[in-house]
Each structure stands twice: as C-alpha cells, then as structure tokens.
Amino acid sequence: MRERFDIVVVGAGSAGSVVAARASENPALSVLLIEAGPDYALGSAVPEDLRNGHHNSVVDHDWGLDYQPNSSGRPQTLPRGRVTGGSSAVNTAIALRPVPEDHDGWGYPEWSWAAMETVYRRLERDLDFGDQPHHGDAGPILIRRYPRPELTATHAAFLDAAAHLGWPTCPDANHPSDWGAGPQPMNKLGQLRVSTAMGYLAPARSRSNLVIRGDTSVRRIMFDGRRARGVEVLSATGEVETIEAGVVVVSCGAILSPGVLLRSGIGRRAELDRLGLDAVATMEGVGAHLSDHPAFAVLCEPTDEALVDFDGPIIQTILRHTTEGSDQRMDAQVELLSFFMRTNQDPLMFALAAVLEQCYSEGELIHTSADVDARPQITSRFCADERDARRLVRIIDDAFAFTSAPPLRDLIRTVRHPDPQRWSQMTISERVERVRRSAASGYHPCGTLRMGEVVDSRGRCLAVDGLVVADASIFPTVPRANTNLCSIAVGERIGEWLRTEPGRYGLTS
Ligand SMILES: Cc1cc2nc3c(=O)[nH]c(=O)nc-3n(C[C@H](O)[C@H](O)[C@H](O)COP(=O)(O)OP(=O)(O)OC[C@H]3O[C@@H](n4cnc5c(N)ncnc54)[C@H](O)[C@@H]3O)c2cc1C
C-alpha cells in the first residue's frame, strides 16, 4: 500500500466512483478510492442482488439506517448502498435528470443548466435519444426506456389511463422542457443495473495511478492546523492505518458524509462539545438542511393476482407534471409500482406512488456518538411546511384519479389504502395531517453539507484547506428528479476539475 496519494476519495458511491475515475484520467495524479463495503473487482463476482435492477437491494449491501419515527410513531427505513457503486449499485435504476430550473436555482454559473447539460450528455449513453439534441450516446451510464411491447399489463394500462385523464404523452422524460406520461428512463439493460462501479470503475481499474480499496472505513480526516493531510482508516480486520493525501474528497453520501467531517472536528459547536471532539472548525451547516422527496402510496388490490409479479420490473413508466396551482414547474411525479408489500399478511398489491419533487421542509442529522460505526439520528420533518403538505395532497388526488380511469380501473379489485371513501370525506386540514403522519422517503436525502454554507461552488470546504465534498450532501436544494444522475453529475464536475485544474485544489502536479 502506498502511503501517500495526491487524491484520496472516501466513499465509492454514485459521486465518489466518478470523481476517482475522472481524476485518474490525469496520469500525473495518484488516486486512492476507499470504500467501507466490499469491492467486486470482477464482473463475474458481482452478487445477484447487485445485478438485478428489477429489485432494490436493501439487505445484503445496506447500511441499516432509519428515519426517526414521525408522529405516526413508526420509523421508516432509509436504505443506502454499502459497496463499490454505493447507492447506485442497489437502487431502482431510474435515470431521471433534474429540470433546468433546479441547476439554475443553485445560483452558481458553473452549476447552471447551460453548464450542466453538457455534463448530463457526457455521462449517458442514451440508447433511445443519444443522437438527438440534449442527449449523449457515448457516456459510461447506459440509459434506455421500455418500449410499449415490453410494458407489463399494469404499466401499459397506466399510460392508457394517463391519456384518458388528458395528460400529454411524453416519450422522453429527460427532455428539458417536455412533461407528461411516458416510459421511465432507466439505467439498466434487461435486469442488469448499470451502477457507477460498472460504468465508471470497471474501465478505470487497470490504470496504474488508481487504487481501489474496499472493506475499509474512514474514521476521520487528519489535519495539520487547518489543512487536511490524510485519513485514518479502519480495515475489515480491525487494523488502524493512516494514509497521507494532497486532497481528501469526502463522498460518503448525504447521511454519512457529515459524520466523517464531525469525527474530524468540523461540525456544529453544540455537537462537537457534546461528543467531546476538538474543533478544527465550527460549521453550523454540518448535518442541517436535510431534504428528500416525500412520497405516499395508493395501494391497489388487482382483479387478477397474476398482474403482480415480484420477479418483473418494479418501475417502467412515469407521469412527471406540475401540481395544480404550483409555481414550481414539474414538482410532481406519479409512478406505478408493479408490486408493493407492507406486511406478509397483505394481499398481492400494486401501487400508485405520489411523490413531491420540490420541497421547502427540512430535516436534520443528530450525531450521538463519534464512533465510526455509529448511525446518526435522521429526522425528516416531511411536509412540515404547509406548502409541501398541500401539494402532496394534490398529487395523491392525481394518483387516485388513475384508480377510476380506464383501462387501469378495470385491473383494480379494490383500493386498499387509503380508504377512498374516507379520503374523499376528509377536509384539507385532515389530509394535511394525514400526509404529515404517513409520508415516506423517496430515498433521496441530500443537502446536509450544502454548497454556499459548508463548501464552495467547487466542493472545497469553506473552513479548511485540502478538503473537498462531492456527493448528494452538497446539493443546495433537492432536485426535481430522483437523485442518482444528479449525484453522478456532481462527481463528473468535481472529478473533471480535479483532473484539469489540480492547482485550484492545492495540488502541485
Ligand atoms: C434503495 C434505493 C433506491 C433508489 N432508487 C433510485 C433511483 O431509481 N433513481 C435515482 O436517481 N436515485 C435513486 N436512489 C437515490 C440515489 O441512488 C442516491 O441519491 C445516490 O446514489 C447518492 O449518491 P452519493 O454519491 O451521494 O452516495 P452513495 O451512492 O450512497 O455513496 C456513498 C458511499 O460511501 C460509502 N461510505 C460511507 N461511509 C464511509 C466511510 N466512513 N468510509 C468509507 N466509505 C464510506 C458507502 O458505503 C457508499 O458506497 C435510490 C437509493 C436507494 C438506496
């Protein structure tokens, strides 16, 4: 093991794998990528749960995290991938881009849509639209949409019901201005999920200047005064080592990156004091501003049990639209989930998920231990802001409309949850309370080390030198799309800057 690298990237997820792959394209830079979970270097060694993109992998390569119970008293699981590829290796493989307003709203020219569209084109190999404006056909992440003949009966009926309800048809949900109902862009081929481990790391592995080290957890970043000088790691065998670095890039995701900073002495004054940690720098934004997409499922028992196939794809289609009366374009999604199970006692069901894509409510992370294995307390505060709650209520109504629109209604024996009659009799305030109690996570946490407060527009920590953050934690706001492509785009941007302008990160080579 070399003792010093120009760049040490901590966390090989959607963003970290991309940072390491792009930065190591510069042969003058030595790069170490450290991952707490296993690294499957050979394609043939990748386990079935990571290959099969029809299902999320939420057990074998998962961190076991939960949101704190909300007013319903029930904790909600928050899966996060623990493996090279990170959450991109375990997720649903929906490959949806943010809308231009998201990036423009971040407030930095280098993250504006004008600058970022090139990045989204560069990261994709879109098999349907790759040769057309706004798209790319040569990137590491393969993207494809299910053609009509491949749709399951429920997904085909969902699109027909959308047409019946008057929603426009949208063949390309990643077009910057189009909206409506159509096939979902997915980064999978057949069942095979194309993670960043597959798209970015596999072709980069043979580089002599890139080392990938799995089963190794970073305990803390080491400092000389206010300059990061390396990391202290814990190997799977329990050995503690230090590794020197020119720059440390933290890419552990929105839930775990703040803890790495905190254990290293960068965090909220009260948390540092409570945990007895020496402060390198106090930053009140560490662990604050947690955003996610609140979701609510309308559960449907089918007329025929054969319509629910747990071995088939869970997602194939999407309605992307703007909530009635909203001033935030494309702030809503309705998606049909081919199967849904709350408990083993439930009958076979599919679901219509209503998801709010642009949010004002914010949660936070609270750390109760500085141990490397400790989990933060994660508070969502979904729909605490009235504007969020009211819009999610409207999107649930949009989802409900599908249950009585032909031909989907003909595939539904009964709507099991929420009771349609009770829902229709509830006042708006009762519905608002209901979504506050029951909204669940879209699995898209972000914003806990946000740009402008903890890092600058290049991902550099504002309080110390030699420390960069590159992952979903730096999003200033939650984008109006599932967050994998946006996380990859952050990795692309910061990886590209490290490769081409290392001096701006304090590297001399
Ligand atoms: C079940 C599930 C389904 C989802 N479905 C979709 C979807 O279909 N489409 C979509 O766009 N988004 C989806 N998402 C969200 C999307 O995958 C994430 O937003 C994105 O992967 C986040 O990227 P990241 O780089 O910020 O973090 P991650 O990809 O989570 O990477 C963080 C990495 O850091 C590692 N790590 C953490 N702590 C340490 C440490 N101390 N030392 C070393 N390594 C460490 C982790 O093991 C992990 O590999 C889903 C997420 C999940 C979990």
Side-chain angles (χ1 to χ4, degrees), residues 11 13-15 35-36 63 79 83 86-87 91-94 218 471-472 482-484:
S14 297
E35 167 56 41
W63 281 87
V83 61
S87 298
N91 72 13
T92 319
I94 293 169
V218 167
D471 60 24
N482 310 49
T483 41
N484 191 35

Side-chain angles (χ1 to χ4, degrees), residues 10-16 34-37 56-58 62-63 78-88 90-96 186-187 216-219 251-254 256-257 260 263 372 442-445 470-473 475 481-485 487-488:
V10 184
S14 297
I34 301 176
E35 167 56 41
N56 296 330
S57 166
V58 293
D62 185 58
W63 281 87
L78 178 58
R80 298 284 91 191
R82 184 180 175 131
V83 61
T84 44
S87 298
S88 82
V90 301
N91 72 13
T92 319
I94 293 169
L96 209 56
M186 313 278 311
N187 52 300
T216 304
S217 296
V218 167
R219 296 218 302 199
S251 300
C252 298
L256 297 169
S257 282
V260 175
R263 293 197 294 274
V372 66
Y443 301 163
H444 301 148
D471 60 24
S473 63
F475 300 175
N482 310 49
T483 41
N484 191 35
L485 282 198
S487 306
I488 294 174

Side-chain angles (χ1 to χ4, degrees), residues 8 13 17 35 49 61 89 104 106 135 140 144 178 190 222 224 226 243 247 260 272 328 374 383 457 507:
V8 170
S17 297
E35 167 56 41
D49 64 304
H61 297 91
D104 290 338
W106 287 11
H135 279 293
R144 151 178 211 273
D178 288 357
M222 303 174 305
D224 272 339
R226 283 167 90 94
I243 300 166
V247 170
V260 175
L272 290 166
Q328 301 291 328
C383 296
S457 62
L507 292 167

Side-chain angles (χ1 to χ4, degrees), residues 184-243:
Q184 179 75 271
M186 313 278 311
N187 52 300
K188 63 180 189 178
L189 192 58
Q191 276 194 345
L192 187 67
R193 180 191 287 113
V194 181
S195 67
T196 54
M198 188 179 299
Y200 282 87
L201 291 184
R205 279 181 190 278
S206 58
R207 289 179 199 152
S208 59
N209 63 331
L210 173 64
V211 175
I212 302 170
R213 188 166 161 183
D215 294 315
T216 304
S217 296
V218 167
R219 296 218 302 199
R220 66 183 183 98
I221 303 155
M222 303 174 305
F223 285 92
D224 272 339
R226 283 167 90 94
R227 176 165 189 93
R229 66 171 172 85
V231 292
E232 184 181 277
V233 304
L234 182 68
S235 71
T237 54
E239 283 164 70
V240 177
E241 283 173 58
T242 58
I243 300 166

